[in-house]
Amino acid sequence: MLDQISTRSEATTQISNDTYELVVVGAGIAGLNALFAATEYLPKGAKVLLLDRKVAAGGMWNTAYDYVRLHQPHPMFTVGNLKWDWRKPAAYLAARNEVQTHLAKSLGPISEAVNLQTRFGVTVTSCNEVKTDAGYHAEVIWHPADQTDQTQMVRANRVIYASGLNYEVTKPLHFSSDSVVSIIPQELTKTLAAHPDAPVYVIGGGKTGMDTILSVAAENPHRKIVLVKGPGTLFLNRTKYLPTGTERWTSGRLISRLFLDLAEQFDGTNEDETMAFIRSQLASDTKTDNGVFLYGLQSEEERDRIDKTLAQTLPGYLSDIEKTANGQQLRLRDGQMQDIPAGSIVVNCTGSFFRSKELAEAHDFLSPGNTVMHINPRDGWHFLTSVVGFFATHLLYRDALRGQGFYSMDHEALFRQNRKAWVGASAAQAYMNQAISVQTLPLMLLDRCGLDLDRWYPLPRRLAGLVHMKTNAAQNVAQCRATLDRTAERFGIHCAQLD
């Protein structure tokens, strides 16, 4: 993740005489969508600067584990409306390297529209709006990641600071016993090859854990796999809600309507009932007692394959692995003990988001002079940063972000307090801001959003959904606003209209 904005370096700063039309900080899915959207408003050949800490475009896809795959069909994970340059089935779930390559290729069409300069491997230390007699502009200070004394400052008419989510790569778990092999998912492939017969213990029941189970089983279907699932994760049923073939005409439900269903269920106080609704109506496994939902998708086939693969599932949290008088044992937080063979591989698949002890630094979504827009988890416009990059940038350049009724919310603070309430509130915000966008932006522009999961369905079904959204917008927006206001008051977080 990009460094959070901090104070200026004391080193001598080289000030550029150039002024950019736009500086985008962050070359992940959010920053690239923002950059793509902005090119529709910038003059041909406008000077644009893209800064990122990593060595290439693609954000977290540069450092993710090699066997990770998309949740959704690959056509709906893109930049703007750029198509993937291959002929794979639409339902194909692209892998890490494929996603990173596709995102990096988006710089080609962007460079044809503007004079794009890129600086990778840099750290941004300051981003400020400055008011002068001539109006507002922004100043950005950055330096090469390993050369803190070589700071540079550039000015821009606008900056989109797309730091995205508070993401950190996990670290291996530390145990009292040194008789197990403790790793992170990025080390799985080589570790399996080095220990061909070792049992694998997957710690964490989210998407990373499920990906890991499937990857281990594909490498050796006879290897013992044990899951320590914590509270367990519910997944949206991809088979039911993103059907294939002719069922795209006859079954399933538009994803935008799923957000509405969630928004209508949650009133700001009933997160347990909302979670029960997800489990019984939306989940890939309606019989589980799993208690976390993070908008992940899983097919029924994946669910069944995982169930058949696992030798054992342990509910609860892993506390330690110890050497005892009875041999090496795994201890759960509730005190339960279980034997674990020496040499077992323990994979830390706990979440990668909001892992830091402290909240990410808070930044206003939009600066007073409308020159700096932050795509961040502390004052977020939508829980999907890719959606923010596309829609909020269009709204920014149309001067339509303020005064329309859009809400921003401190996603990270709410998530850390109550994950269940975050699900309901984030759905309400997502649906409300989408409904307002549909009322505010031209239909032609909305149809150019390749990220829209409703595009999985035929055009007549999408148009019917759009008509429903527009017709009922006033009532649904009022309900979502009441839910968000109640959530803000109850949890003491920022969640309010952009003014």
Side-chain angles (χ1 to χ4, degrees), residues 344-423:
S344 294
I345 300 168
V346 182
V347 192
N348 182 9
C349 297
T350 56
S352 299
F353 298 104
F354 308 144
R355 292 188 60 84
S356 62
K357 293 181 179 179
E358 303 297 331
L359 289 166
E361 187 175 351
H363 299 288
D364 290 341
F365 175 66
L366 189 61
S367 64
N370 295 342
T371 62
V372 180
M373 184 174 79
H374 281 92
I375 302 176
N376 72 94
R378 298 299 313 281
D379 194 14
W381 191 85
H382 194 290
F383 74 92
L384 290 174
T385 59
S386 55
V387 171
V388 185
F390 182 88
F391 282 102
T393 301
H394 279 289
L395 292 162
L396 174 68
Y397 275 92
R398 291 171 177 268
D399 196 26
L401 273 173
R402 300 188 195 273
Q404 305 297 323
F406 294 114
Y407 264 52
S408 65
M409 181 170 73
D410 191 337
H411 285 265
E412 183 172 354
L414 180 56
F415 185 91
R416 288 177 184 254
Q417 284 195 55
N418 190 312
R419 294 187 182 188
K420 295 178 182 179
W422 172 82
V423 172

Side-chain angles (χ1 to χ4, degrees), residues 49-342:
L49 178 63
L50 176 64
L51 303 170
D52 195 276
R53 183 177 179 179
K54 296 182 173 62
V55 297
M60 61 172 282
W61 293 93
N62 284 287
T63 56
Y65 48 96
D66 57 2
Y67 53 92
V68 64
R69 306 192 82 85
L70 287 175
H71 291 251
Q72 70 268 49
H74 71 274
M76 275 73 74
F77 193 88
T78 189
V79 176
N81 60 351
L82 292 179
K83 297 185 182 301
W84 291 64
D85 59 351
W86 60 21
R87 292 190 176 183
K88 290 187 180 289
Y92 177 72
L93 307 178
R96 184 200 70 182
N97 289 344
E98 295 167 333
V99 175
Q100 191 277 325
T101 298
H102 175 69
L103 295 180
K105 284 183 176 180
S106 70
L107 295 182
I110 293 170
S111 296
E112 295 174 3
V114 295
N115 176 12
L116 178 65
Q117 301 175 28
T118 60
R119 299 288 186 273
F120 294 107
V122 303
T123 298
V124 173
T125 59
S126 177
C127 176
N128 297 299
E129 180 177 86
V130 177
K131 186 177 182 180
T132 68
D133 292 339
Y136 291 96
H137 71 267
E139 295 180 353
V140 181
I141 298 179
W142 57 276
H143 61 76
D146 57 349
Q147 297 174 327
T148 58
D149 60 337
Q150 297 187 21
T151 59
Q152 300 187 44
M153 186 187 81
V154 296
R155 296 185 176 91
N157 293 331
R158 276 206 167 103
V159 174
I160 299 176
Y161 198 103
S163 57
L165 297 176
N166 187 356
Y167 171 84
E168 292 182 4
V169 175
T170 56
K171 297 179 180 179
L173 297 170
H174 295 286
F175 305 113
S176 301
S177 171
D178 58 3
S179 297
V180 296
V181 181
S182 183
I183 64 170
I184 59 175
Q186 285 81 348
E187 301 168 332
L188 179 67
T189 302
K190 66 178 182 181
T191 304
L192 293 177
H195 303 271
D197 300 316
V200 174
Y201 285 72
V202 176
I203 313 303
K207 182 180 186 300
T208 303
M210 301 304 103
D211 285 346
T212 300
I213 293 167
L214 293 173
S215 181
V216 173
E219 180 266 348
N220 180 357
H222 303 294
R223 192 188 291 263
K224 179 182 178 181
I225 307 174
V226 176
L227 171 65
V228 182
K229 71 173 187 176
T233 299
L234 293 169
F235 295 93
L236 181 67
N237 190 334
R238 190 190 303 117
T239 302
K240 184 176 180 180
Y241 293 104
L242 289 173
T244 58
T246 58
E247 291 186 358
R248 292 161 79 174
W249 286 89
T250 60
S251 67
R253 192 168 179 82
L254 297 180
I255 300 301
S256 58
R257 289 298 300 273
L258 288 175
F259 282 122
L260 176 58
D261 290 343
L262 282 172
E264 289 180 331
Q265 285 293 320
F266 184 61
D267 64 7
T269 65
N270 62 337
E271 56 269 16
D272 289 335
E273 290 83 355
T274 301
M275 193 62 62
F277 169 79
I278 294 170
R279 182 180 293 106
S280 64
Q281 301 296 319
L282 310 180
S284 59
D285 186 352
T286 59
K287 299 177 182 179
T288 182
D289 60 354
N290 290 349
V292 175
F293 179 70
L294 300 174
Y295 295 102
L297 293 128
Q298 182 186 66
S299 70
E300 294 173 6
E301 184 273 334
E302 288 170 330
R303 175 203 66 198
D304 293 342
R305 195 150 38 106
I306 288 168
D307 287 345
K308 292 177 182 178
T309 296
L310 286 172
Q312 187 178 12
T313 298
L314 300 175
Y317 294 91
L318 176 63
S319 176
D320 197 6
I321 297 175
E322 311 167 0
K323 289 181 179 178
T324 72
N326 297 321
Q328 182 166 263
Q329 292 193 311
L330 177 153
R331 179 190 293 275
L332 297 180
R333 189 179 295 174
D334 63 4
Q336 181 185 169
M337 303 285 285
Q338 179 163 317
D339 294 342
I340 177 173

Side-chain angles (χ1 to χ4, degrees), residues 4-19:
Q4 299 298 322
I5 297 179
S6 60
T7 57
R8 293 188 177 187
S9 170
E10 295 181 358
T12 301
T13 301
Q14 179 181 346
I15 301 175
S16 171
N17 292 322
D18 296 330
T19 297

